[in-house]
Amino acid sequence: MHNDWGAFMTALANHLLELIFAVLVAYAVSLRNRFTAWLNARTTAAQRETLHKLATEAAALAESMMGGGAGALKLDKAIKYVSDRAATLGIKVSEQSIRAAIEKAVLDYKAQIKGGTAVAKTEQ
């Protein structure tokens, strides 16, 4: 009988250890998923910040190179500049997002020139 009790306790201890291990693995997976989501969100925010900086550079470059007028041509040059620089930095972004960032940079610039306040920085 004593031998049966020892076998029962050994089996119970093994099952408890398996259960604890399973809970720890599930917790580790949960932490990994949360960390991955956090990292992806930070990367996206950093990429958006870089996109806005590139758009401001592109708008200033197009304006200084081409002066007044030729808006469509300036926009095309600015889009190409941002697209090329973003690709060099390993940032994948759509042309629509690039155009939106450039348009915002131009609006901010015009607001500053006219003595108004710049458009508030977009939410990230």
Side-chain angles (χ1 to χ4, degrees):
M1 169 119 172
H2 181 49
N3 196 17
D4 290 338
W5 183 251
F8 172 75
M9 291 304 289
T10 301
L12 180 63
N14 285 338
H15 289 302
L16 284 175
L17 286 175
E18 290 173 358
L19 179 64
I20 291 170
F21 182 75
V23 169
L24 288 175
V25 167
Y27 184 70
V29 169
S30 173
L31 283 178
R32 184 197 63 176
N33 291 342
R34 282 191 263 164
F35 176 74
T36 301
W38 175 84
L39 185 60
N40 288 340
R42 293 294 306 154
T43 302
T44 301
Q47 288 176 343
R48 279 195 306 267
E49 181 72 25
T50 301
L51 175 62
H52 289 291
K53 288 178 182 178
L54 289 174
T56 301
E57 287 176 14
L61 180 63
E63 184 63 31
S64 68
M65 289 176 64
M66 305 178 95
L73 184 59
K74 286 194 291 189
L75 180 60
D76 288 342
K77 295 285 185 188
I79 288 173
K80 178 157 178 35
Y81 174 84
V82 173
S83 180
D84 291 347
R85 292 284 292 135
T88 300
L89 296 171
I91 299 172
K92 294 182 181 183
V93 63
S94 69
E95 187 172 321
Q96 183 179 10
S97 295
I98 292 171
R99 181 184 175 131
I102 292 169
E103 295 287 356
K104 181 190 178 306
V106 169
L107 289 175
D108 286 350
Y109 174 75
K110 287 180 179 179
Q112 288 174 347
I113 293 300
K114 291 181 180 179
T117 58
V119 177
K121 190 173 184 180
T122 58
E123 292 286 324
Q124 297 186 11

